[in-house]
Amino acid sequence: MAMSNVLQYVSGGHFETSTGLFKIPEYKVMPKLSSRFKSPKERQPPNYRFSVLAPRLFHTNLSLVHYSVFFQMCRAHHIGYDIREREGSIFTLIDSYKRDLIGMTVVEADLVTAMKTFHRNLSVVHQEISSANLPGKNNFNKLMMEVDKIMSSLAVEEPPEEVETEEKTEL
């Protein structure tokens, strides 16, 4: 419940219980130079978001890393939250004394991207805070295997995309 409240606070959205969707309010996007030539429909971000929540990520080596170093490592690997697009990764610091628990929420425009980002973030954090000499106890590996299973089931359920061909006409 607390992680969903953090998600609502950061994105400004709300969960629609009748449809099961998380909707964010519409907002105007300032056009960038590279997006000037796109139609307004292409520039408008979707109003619905998909999120993956992990309220209790446990790793004993997290206690060896200061929070400032942890967030610098995240920035170095481009793990963060884009306030304008309302997409990205959010971390919650759970235990300030032991510092071996964190929470992670990933918010993306589609489910597959959210799952891939979640898996990538878990992998990056695990690789950065683990070493061969000090592997530590964690639930990261088990969670990454579960995400892999879900991703394989999503790949099976998605219908193949239709490829459109253009006919060339000669003048």
Side-chain angles (χ1 to χ4, degrees):
M1 185 67 173
M3 293 292 283
S4 61
N5 289 341
V6 169
L7 177 62
Q8 289 175 353
Y9 174 75
V10 170
S11 66
H14 67 280
F15 185 71
E16 294 180 352
T17 55
S18 60
T19 60
L21 297 173
F22 186 77
K23 185 174 183 177
I24 61 168
E26 293 184 24
Y27 63 100
K28 292 187 178 186
V29 176
M30 299 299 292
K32 298 178 186 174
L33 284 174
S34 62
S35 65
R36 272 191 195 166
F37 302 107
K38 294 181 181 178
S39 69
K41 194 173 192 178
E42 290 177 14
R43 278 187 270 144
Q44 186 67 26
N47 291 337
Y48 293 100
R49 296 288 189 269
F50 292 87
S51 65
V52 181
L53 305 171
R56 297 182 64 85
L57 296 173
F58 173 77
H59 202 301
T60 54
N61 291 356
L62 277 171
S63 62
L64 304 174
V65 178
H66 290 281
Y67 288 142
S68 61
V69 175
F70 175 78
F71 288 117
Q72 285 177 353
M73 181 250 331
C74 289
R75 268 187 248 128
H77 288 283
H78 306 288
I79 299 172
Y81 187 78
D82 186 358
I83 294 172
R84 184 186 300 168
E85 297 294 326
R86 299 180 184 173
E87 294 178 349
S89 304
I90 305 162
F91 291 96
T92 55
L93 308 174
I94 296 174
D95 190 355
S96 62
Y97 293 109
K98 284 187 174 181
R99 295 190 342 220
D100 58 358
L101 286 174
I102 59 171
M104 182 172 62
T105 304
V106 174
V107 183
E108 292 292 341
D110 63 289
L111 181 60
V112 175
T113 306
M115 295 297 288
K116 286 180 181 178
T117 303
F118 185 79
H119 187 277
R120 179 186 167 275
N121 292 353
L122 280 175
S123 177
V124 166
V125 171
H126 181 64
Q127 288 175 3
E128 288 291 326
I129 63 176
S130 297
S131 68
N133 298 337
L134 193 62
K137 295 179 181 178
N138 64 72
N139 64 352
F140 283 52
N141 292 330
K142 184 177 179 182
L143 192 53
M144 284 190 286
M145 290 188 314
E146 292 296 322
V147 170
D148 285 337
K149 287 180 188 177
I150 293 169
M151 288 294 294
S152 65
S153 69
L154 285 175
V156 171
E157 292 176 9
E158 288 183 5
E161 295 181 14
E162 295 180 19
V163 178
E164 296 181 19
T165 57
E166 295 182 14
E167 293 182 23
K168 295 183 180 179
T169 57
E170 294 182 26
L171 298 176

Coordinates of all heavy atoms in Angstrom, one line a residue, residues 102-152:
I102 N 15.6 -2.2 0.5 CA 15.1 -1.0 -0.3 C 13.8 -1.5 -1.0 O 13.5 -2.7 -1.1 CB 16.1 -0.5 -1.3 CG1 16.5 -1.6 -2.3 CG2 17.3 0.1 -0.6 CD1 17.4 -1.2 -3.4
G103 N 13.1 -0.5 -1.5 CA 11.9 -0.8 -2.3 C 12.2 -0.2 -3.7 O 12.9 0.8 -3.8
M104 N 11.7 -0.8 -4.7 CA 11.8 -0.2 -6.1 C 10.5 -0.3 -6.8 O 9.8 -1.3 -6.8 CB 12.9 -1.0 -6.9 CG 13.2 -0.4 -8.2 SD 14.6 -1.1 -9.1 CE 14.1 -2.8 -9.3
T105 N 10.2 0.8 -7.5 CA 9.0 0.9 -8.4 C 9.5 1.4 -9.7 O 10.3 2.4 -9.8 CB 8.0 2.0 -7.8 OG1 7.7 1.6 -6.5 CG2 6.8 2.0 -8.7
V106 N 9.1 0.7 -10.8 CA 9.4 1.1 -12.1 C 8.1 1.5 -12.8 O 7.1 0.7 -12.8 CB 10.1 -0.1 -12.9 CG1 10.3 0.3 -14.3 CG2 11.4 -0.4 -12.3
V107 N 8.1 2.6 -13.4 CA 6.9 3.1 -14.1 C 7.2 3.4 -15.6 O 8.2 4.1 -15.8 CB 6.4 4.5 -13.5 CG1 5.1 4.9 -14.1 CG2 6.2 4.3 -12.0
E108 N 6.5 2.7 -16.5 CA 6.8 2.9 -17.9 C 5.4 3.0 -18.6 O 4.4 2.6 -18.1 CB 7.6 1.8 -18.4 CG 9.0 1.7 -17.9 CD 9.9 2.9 -18.4 OE1 9.6 3.5 -19.4 OE2 10.9 3.1 -17.8
A109 N 5.5 3.4 -19.9 CA 4.3 3.5 -20.7 C 3.7 2.2 -21.2 O 2.5 2.1 -21.5 CB 4.6 4.3 -22.0
D110 N 4.5 1.1 -21.2 CA 4.0 -0.2 -21.6 C 4.6 -1.3 -20.6 O 5.6 -1.1 -20.0 CB 4.2 -0.5 -23.0 CG 5.7 -0.6 -23.4 OD1 6.4 0.4 -23.4 OD2 6.2 -1.8 -23.6
L111 N 3.9 -2.4 -20.6 CA 4.2 -3.4 -19.6 C 5.6 -4.1 -19.9 O 6.4 -4.3 -19.0 CB 3.1 -4.5 -19.6 CG 3.3 -5.6 -18.6 CD1 3.4 -5.1 -17.2 CD2 2.2 -6.6 -18.7
V112 N 5.8 -4.4 -21.2 CA 7.1 -5.0 -21.5 C 8.3 -4.2 -21.2 O 9.3 -4.6 -20.6 CB 7.1 -5.4 -23.0 CG1 8.4 -6.0 -23.4 CG2 6.0 -6.4 -23.3
T113 N 8.2 -2.9 -21.5 CA 9.3 -2.0 -21.1 C 9.5 -1.9 -19.6 O 10.6 -1.8 -19.1 CB 9.0 -0.6 -21.7 OG1 8.8 -0.7 -23.1 CG2 10.2 0.4 -21.5
A114 N 8.4 -1.9 -18.9 CA 8.4 -1.8 -17.4 C 9.1 -3.0 -16.9 O 10.0 -2.9 -16.0 CB 7.0 -1.7 -16.8
M115 N 8.8 -4.2 -17.4 CA 9.4 -5.4 -16.9 C 10.9 -5.5 -17.3 O 11.8 -5.9 -16.5 CB 8.7 -6.7 -17.5 CG 7.3 -6.8 -17.0 SD 7.1 -7.1 -15.3 CE 7.7 -8.7 -15.1
K116 N 11.3 -5.1 -18.5 CA 12.7 -5.0 -18.9 C 13.5 -4.1 -18.1 O 14.6 -4.4 -17.7 CB 12.8 -4.7 -20.4 CG 12.4 -5.8 -21.3 CD 12.5 -5.3 -22.8 CE 12.1 -6.4 -23.7 NZ 12.2 -6.0 -25.1
T117 N 12.9 -2.9 -17.8 CA 13.6 -1.9 -17.0 C 13.8 -2.4 -15.6 O 14.9 -2.3 -15.0 CB 12.9 -0.6 -17.0 OG1 12.7 -0.2 -18.3 CG2 13.6 0.5 -16.2
F118 N 12.8 -3.1 -15.0 CA 12.9 -3.6 -13.7 C 14.0 -4.7 -13.6 O 14.8 -4.7 -12.7 CB 11.5 -4.2 -13.3 CG 11.4 -4.7 -11.9 CD1 11.2 -3.9 -10.9 CD2 11.6 -6.1 -11.6 CE1 11.1 -4.3 -9.5 CE2 11.5 -6.5 -10.3 CZ 11.3 -5.7 -9.3
H119 N 14.0 -5.6 -14.6 CA 15.0 -6.6 -14.6 C 16.4 -6.0 -14.7 O 17.4 -6.4 -14.0 CB 14.8 -7.6 -15.8 CG 15.7 -8.8 -15.8 ND1 16.9 -8.7 -16.3 CD2 15.5 -10.0 -15.3 CE1 17.5 -9.9 -16.2 NE2 16.6 -10.7 -15.5
R120 N 16.6 -5.0 -15.6 CA 17.9 -4.4 -15.8 C 18.3 -3.7 -14.5 O 19.5 -3.8 -14.1 CB 17.8 -3.4 -16.9 CG 19.1 -2.6 -17.2 CD 18.9 -1.5 -18.2 NE 20.0 -0.7 -18.2 CZ 20.2 0.4 -17.4 NH1 19.3 0.7 -16.5 NH2 21.3 1.1 -17.5
N121 N 17.4 -3.0 -13.9 CA 17.8 -2.3 -12.6 C 18.2 -3.3 -11.6 O 19.2 -3.1 -10.9 CB 16.6 -1.5 -12.1 CG 16.3 -0.3 -13.0 OD1 17.0 0.0 -13.9 ND2 15.2 0.3 -12.7
L122 N 17.5 -4.4 -11.4 CA 17.9 -5.4 -10.4 C 19.3 -6.0 -10.8 O 20.1 -6.1 -9.9 CB 16.9 -6.6 -10.4 CG 15.6 -6.4 -9.7 CD1 14.7 -7.6 -9.9 CD2 15.9 -6.2 -8.2
S123 N 19.5 -6.2 -12.0 CA 20.8 -6.8 -12.4 C 21.9 -5.8 -12.2 O 23.0 -6.2 -11.6 CB 20.7 -7.2 -13.9 OG 22.0 -7.6 -14.4
V124 N 21.7 -4.6 -12.5 CA 22.8 -3.5 -12.3 C 23.1 -3.4 -10.8 O 24.3 -3.4 -10.4 CB 22.4 -2.2 -13.0 CG1 23.2 -1.1 -12.5 CG2 22.4 -2.3 -14.5
V125 N 22.1 -3.2 -10.0 CA 22.3 -3.0 -8.6 C 23.0 -4.3 -8.0 O 23.9 -4.1 -7.2 CB 21.0 -2.7 -7.9 CG1 21.1 -2.7 -6.4 CG2 20.4 -1.4 -8.3
H126 N 22.5 -5.5 -8.4 CA 23.1 -6.7 -7.9 C 24.6 -6.8 -8.2 O 25.5 -7.1 -7.4 CB 22.4 -7.9 -8.4 CG 22.9 -9.2 -7.9 ND1 22.9 -9.5 -6.5 CD2 23.5 -10.2 -8.5 CE1 23.4 -10.7 -6.4 NE2 23.8 -11.2 -7.6
Q127 N 24.9 -6.5 -9.5 CA 26.3 -6.6 -9.9 C 27.2 -5.5 -9.3 O 28.4 -5.8 -8.9 CB 26.4 -6.4 -11.5 CG 25.9 -7.5 -12.2 CD 25.9 -7.3 -13.7 OE1 26.3 -6.2 -14.2 NE2 25.4 -8.2 -14.5
E128 N 26.7 -4.3 -9.0 CA 27.5 -3.3 -8.4 C 27.7 -3.5 -6.9 O 28.8 -3.1 -6.4 CB 26.8 -1.9 -8.6 CG 26.8 -1.4 -10.0 CD 28.2 -1.0 -10.4 OE1 29.0 -0.5 -9.6 OE2 28.5 -1.2 -11.6
I129 N 26.8 -4.1 -6.2 CA 27.0 -4.2 -4.8 C 27.5 -5.6 -4.3 O 27.8 -5.8 -3.2 CB 25.7 -3.9 -4.0 CG1 24.6 -4.8 -4.3 CG2 25.4 -2.4 -4.2 CD1 23.4 -4.6 -3.4
S130 N 27.6 -6.6 -5.3 CA 28.1 -7.9 -5.0 C 29.5 -8.1 -5.5 O 29.9 -7.4 -6.4 CB 27.2 -9.0 -5.6 OG 25.9 -8.9 -5.1
S131 N 30.2 -8.9 -4.8 CA 31.6 -9.2 -5.3 C 31.8 -10.7 -5.1 O 31.1 -11.4 -4.4 CB 32.6 -8.4 -4.6 OG 32.7 -8.8 -3.2
A132 N 32.9 -11.2 -5.7 CA 33.2 -12.7 -5.6 C 33.6 -13.0 -4.1 O 33.2 -14.1 -3.6 CB 34.3 -13.0 -6.5
N133 N 34.2 -12.1 -3.5 CA 34.7 -12.3 -2.1 C 33.6 -12.2 -1.1 O 33.6 -12.8 0.0 CB 35.8 -11.4 -1.7 CG 37.0 -11.6 -2.6 OD1 37.2 -12.6 -3.2 ND2 37.8 -10.6 -2.7
L134 N 32.6 -11.3 -1.4 CA 31.5 -11.0 -0.5 C 30.2 -11.0 -1.2 O 29.6 -10.0 -1.5 CB 31.8 -9.6 0.2 CG 31.0 -9.3 1.4 CD1 31.2 -10.2 2.5 CD2 31.3 -7.8 1.8
P135 N 29.6 -12.2 -1.5 CA 28.4 -12.3 -2.3 C 27.2 -11.7 -1.6 O 26.3 -11.1 -2.1 CB 28.3 -13.7 -2.7 CG 29.1 -14.5 -1.7 CD 30.1 -13.5 -1.2
G136 N 27.1 -12.0 -0.3 CA 26.0 -11.6 0.5 C 24.7 -12.3 0.3 O 24.5 -13.0 -0.8
K137 N 23.8 -12.3 1.2 CA 22.5 -12.9 1.1 C 21.6 -11.9 0.4 O 21.6 -10.7 0.8 CB 21.9 -13.3 2.4 CG 22.7 -14.4 3.1 CD 22.1 -14.7 4.5 CE 23.0 -15.8 5.1 NZ 22.4 -16.1 6.5
N138 N 20.7 -12.4 -0.5 CA 19.8 -11.5 -1.2 C 18.6 -12.2 -1.8 O 18.6 -13.5 -1.9 CB 20.6 -10.7 -2.3 CG 21.1 -11.6 -3.4 OD1 20.3 -12.1 -4.2 ND2 22.4 -11.8 -3.4
N139 N 17.6 -11.5 -2.2 CA 16.5 -12.0 -3.0 C 16.5 -11.5 -4.4 O 15.5 -11.7 -5.1 CB 15.2 -11.7 -2.3 CG 14.9 -10.3 -2.2 OD1 15.7 -9.4 -2.5 ND2 13.7 -10.0 -1.7
F140 N 17.6 -10.9 -4.9 CA 17.6 -10.4 -6.2 C 17.6 -11.5 -7.3 O 16.9 -11.3 -8.3 CB 18.9 -9.5 -6.4 CG 18.9 -8.2 -5.8 CD1 18.5 -8.0 -4.4 CD2 19.2 -7.1 -6.5 CE1 18.5 -6.8 -3.9 CE2 19.2 -5.8 -5.9 CZ 18.8 -5.7 -4.6
N141 N 18.4 -12.5 -7.1 CA 18.5 -13.6 -8.1 C 17.1 -14.3 -8.3 O 16.7 -14.5 -9.4 CB 19.5 -14.6 -7.7 CG 20.9 -14.1 -7.8 OD1 21.2 -13.2 -8.6 ND2 21.8 -14.5 -7.0
K142 N 16.5 -14.6 -7.2 CA 15.2 -15.2 -7.3 C 14.1 -14.3 -8.0 O 13.4 -14.8 -8.8 CB 14.7 -15.6 -5.9 CG 13.4 -16.3 -5.8 CD 13.0 -16.7 -4.4 CE 11.7 -17.5 -4.4 NZ 11.2 -17.8 -3.1
L143 N 14.2 -13.1 -7.7 CA 13.3 -12.1 -8.3 C 13.6 -12.0 -9.8 O 12.6 -11.9 -10.6 CB 13.4 -10.8 -7.6 CG 12.3 -9.8 -7.9 CD1 10.9 -10.3 -7.7 CD2 12.5 -8.5 -7.0
M144 N 14.8 -11.9 -10.2 CA 15.2 -11.8 -11.6 C 14.7 -13.1 -12.4 O 14.3 -13.0 -13.5 CB 16.7 -11.6 -11.8 CG 17.2 -10.2 -11.4 SD 18.9 -9.9 -11.9 CE 19.8 -10.7 -10.6
M145 N 14.8 -14.3 -11.7 CA 14.3 -15.5 -12.4 C 12.8 -15.4 -12.6 O 12.2 -15.8 -13.6 CB 14.7 -16.7 -11.6 CG 16.1 -17.0 -11.7 SD 16.7 -18.6 -11.0 CE 15.8 -18.7 -9.4
E146 N 12.1 -14.8 -11.6 CA 10.6 -14.7 -11.7 C 10.2 -13.7 -12.8 O 9.3 -13.9 -13.6 CB 10.0 -14.2 -10.4 CG 10.1 -15.3 -9.3 CD 9.2 -16.5 -9.6 OE1 8.1 -16.4 -10.1 OE2 9.7 -17.6 -9.2
V147 N 11.0 -12.6 -12.9 CA 10.8 -11.6 -14.0 C 11.0 -12.3 -15.3 O 10.3 -12.0 -16.3 CB 11.6 -10.4 -13.7 CG1 11.6 -9.4 -14.9 CG2 11.2 -9.6 -12.5
D148 N 12.1 -13.1 -15.4 CA 12.3 -13.8 -16.7 C 11.1 -14.7 -17.1 O 10.8 -14.7 -18.3 CB 13.6 -14.6 -16.6 CG 14.8 -13.8 -16.6 OD1 14.8 -12.7 -17.2 OD2 15.9 -14.3 -16.1
K149 N 10.6 -15.4 -16.1 CA 9.4 -16.2 -16.4 C 8.2 -15.4 -16.9 O 7.5 -15.8 -17.9 CB 9.0 -17.0 -15.2 CG 9.9 -18.1 -14.8 CD 9.4 -18.8 -13.5 CE 10.3 -19.8 -13.0 NZ 9.9 -20.4 -11.7
I150 N 8.0 -14.3 -16.3 CA 6.9 -13.4 -16.7 C 7.2 -12.8 -18.1 O 6.2 -12.8 -18.9 CB 6.7 -12.3 -15.7 CG1 6.2 -12.9 -14.3 CG2 5.7 -11.2 -16.2 CD1 6.2 -11.9 -13.2
M151 N 8.4 -12.5 -18.3 CA 8.7 -11.9 -19.7 C 8.6 -13.0 -20.7 O 8.1 -12.6 -21.8 CB 10.2 -11.4 -19.7 CG 10.4 -10.2 -18.9 SD 9.6 -8.7 -19.6 CE 10.5 -8.6 -21.1
S152 N 8.9 -14.2 -20.5 CA 8.7 -15.3 -21.5 C 7.2 -15.5 -21.7 O 6.8 -15.8 -22.8 CB 9.4 -16.5 -21.0 OG 8.9 -17.1 -19.9

